[in-house]
């Protein structure tokens, strides 16, 4: 067997193994946040059957990236501050890991909101953890700058960038990535291709909002008749540990919609937001509801 064949075979075996491990960790993550055994199994099953599973099975970096993301979220659910190390490793695998800094910022800000004070210790830890999490991205950009821009032949425009970062330039120049740059009539088929994932995320966010809005109203009415202030209500009921996952999912979906090549949104969300599959189980009939959402949007696309 040739060297290239060995590399391909190894990558496929490694990624499929990680795919399997990721599904087990997602099951454990679901159990840790309070889902039943059945719901947790459904979340893991949805993960293994997701439309982007091909990218998690072949020689791509999604499986390794997803491994570090899920592992980091598992550690986070154990109330350990060390999850930022996994996020740093994820950023070293794919630059998408930069979005995971949101969880670090959210957790520290939430701690300060609930304590009612801006704690110096929290601020210092937040800055250190954030810097470590994004360090692999900037290290790689520095490596590229030394590799391509220090030989006296600065042919690329990004070499003149003050920070020496190639990522933004390459995405804009060669991929046409930018705010609303992909919103062209000729890209309508790609938007239709991405419609099932956008529809599913919107359905998840609406389901979360409708599930909690009555509870918020009831709790707010209770607080109105007590000595608690609006800030106290915000601390204890609106801002909570699980809210970060919904905000992260919604933010990345919005980012993909307005700046990215939307046809990659499925693999983008699947790799970055494992909570997606946990949230799918919160529908009244999760398997059939997710199936209905995907089938209806896919059917509309085919008809069009």
């Amino acid at each position: 067997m040739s060297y290239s064949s060995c590399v391909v075979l190894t990558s496929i075996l490694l990624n499929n193994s990680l795919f399997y491990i990721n599904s087990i960790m997602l099951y454990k993550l679901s159990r840790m946040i309070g889902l039943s055994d059945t719901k947790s199994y459904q979340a893991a099953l949805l993960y293994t059957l997701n439309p982007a599973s091909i990218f998690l099975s072949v020689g791509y970096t999604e499986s390794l990236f997803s491994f570090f993301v899920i592992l980091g979220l598992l550690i986070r659910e154990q109330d350990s501050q060390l999850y930022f190390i996994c996020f740093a490793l994820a950023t070293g695998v794919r630059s998408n890991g930069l979005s995971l800094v949101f969880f670090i910022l959210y957790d520290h800000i939430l701690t300060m909101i609930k304590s009612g004070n801006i704690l110096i210790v929290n601020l210092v830890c937040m800055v250190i953890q954030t810097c470590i999490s994004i360090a692999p991205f900037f290290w790689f950009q520095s490596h590229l700058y030394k590799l391509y821009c220090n030989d006296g032949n600065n042919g690329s425009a990004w070499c003149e960038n003050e920070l020496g970062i190639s990522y933004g330039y390459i995405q804009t120049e060669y991929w046409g990535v930018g705010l609303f740059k992909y919103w062209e009539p000729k890209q309508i088929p790609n938007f239709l291709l991405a419609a099932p994932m956008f529809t599913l995320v919107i359905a998840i966010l609406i389901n979360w909002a409708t599930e909690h809005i009555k509870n918020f109203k009831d709790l707010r009415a209770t607080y109105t008749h007590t000595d608690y202030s609006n800030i106290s209500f915000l601390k204890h009921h609106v801002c909570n540990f699980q809210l970060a996952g919904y905000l992260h999912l919604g933010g990345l979906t919005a980012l993909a919609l307005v700046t990215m090549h939307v046809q990659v949104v499925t693999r983008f969300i699947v790799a970055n937001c494992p909570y997606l599959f946990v949230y799918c189980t919160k529908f009244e009939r999760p398997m059939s509801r997710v199936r209905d959402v995907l089938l209806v949007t896919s059917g509309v696309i085919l008809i069009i």
Side-chain angles (χ1 to χ4, degrees), residues 39 56 64-65 91-92 104 113 120 152 216 242 260 270 288:
K39 295 283 189 181
L56 298 165
L64 182 59
F65 175 78
T91 304
I104 297 173
I113 288 177
I120 300 299
F216 284 169
Q242 297 299 331
M260 294 173 55
V270 164
S288 60

Side-chain angles (χ1 to χ4, degrees), residues 229 241 266 294:
S229 64
F241 198 64
T266 300
L294 295 178

Side-chain angles (χ1 to χ4, degrees), residues 7-19 22 47 52-68 90 92-94 96 175 263-264 266-268 270-271:
V7 170
V8 172
L9 182 60
T10 302
S11 65
I12 292 175
L13 290 175
L14 177 61
N15 281 340
N16 277 275
S17 298
L18 286 172
F19 190 20
N22 290 346
Y47 176 76
S53 60
I54 183 62
F55 295 102
L56 298 165
S57 304
V58 296
Y60 257 66
T61 56
E62 264 85 357
S63 275
L64 182 59
F65 175 78
S66 187
F67 170 80
F68 287 126
V93 176
R94 294 182 69 86
N96 300 343
W175 291 95
Q263 65 266 32
V264 304
T266 300
R267 54 183 282 214
F268 177 70
V270 164

Side-chain angles (χ1 to χ4, degrees), residues 174-241:
Y174 298 103
W175 291 95
V177 172
L179 188 62
F180 298 114
K181 285 189 175 182
Y182 212 61
W183 287 39
E184 299 176 322
K186 66 180 181 179
Q187 301 299 346
I188 289 177
N190 286 323
F191 276 91
L192 294 176
L193 184 65
M197 179 55 72
F198 285 125
T199 305
L200 181 60
V201 172
I202 292 172
I204 287 172
L205 296 178
I206 291 176
N207 185 65
W208 178 85
T210 53
E211 179 184 343
H212 287 78
I213 192 167
K214 184 179 184 301
N215 294 335
F216 284 169
K217 286 182 178 180
D218 292 342
L219 286 167
R220 189 66 190 89
T222 302
Y223 271 62
T224 302
H225 297 90
T226 66
D227 294 331
Y228 289 107
S229 64
N230 290 334
I231 296 299
S232 181
F233 174 76
L234 179 68
K235 289 181 189 176
H236 296 285
H237 295 292
V238 178
C239 294
N240 58 65
F241 198 64

Side-chain angles (χ1 to χ4, degrees), residues 6 32 40 45 48 72 120 136 184 195 203 209 212 220 234 244 264 278 293:
C6 288
M32 288 184 67
S40 300
L45 184 61
T48 58
I120 300 299
E184 299 176 322
H212 287 78
R220 189 66 190 89
L234 179 68
V264 304
V278 176
V293 169

Side-chain angles (χ1 to χ4, degrees), residues 50-101:
N50 79 82
S53 60
I54 183 62
F55 295 102
L56 298 165
S57 304
V58 296
Y60 257 66
T61 56
E62 264 85 357
S63 275
L64 182 59
F65 175 78
S66 187
F67 170 80
F68 287 126
V69 173
I70 300 175
L71 181 60
L73 294 176
L74 269 173
I75 296 173
R76 176 177 179 263
E77 291 295 336
Q78 296 172 346
D79 293 329
S80 172
Q81 292 292 321
L82 297 178
Y83 65 86
F84 74 91
I85 297 175
C86 293
F87 289 173
L89 294 172
T91 304
V93 176
R94 294 182 69 86
S95 59
N96 300 343
L98 291 173
S99 71
L100 299 171
V101 169

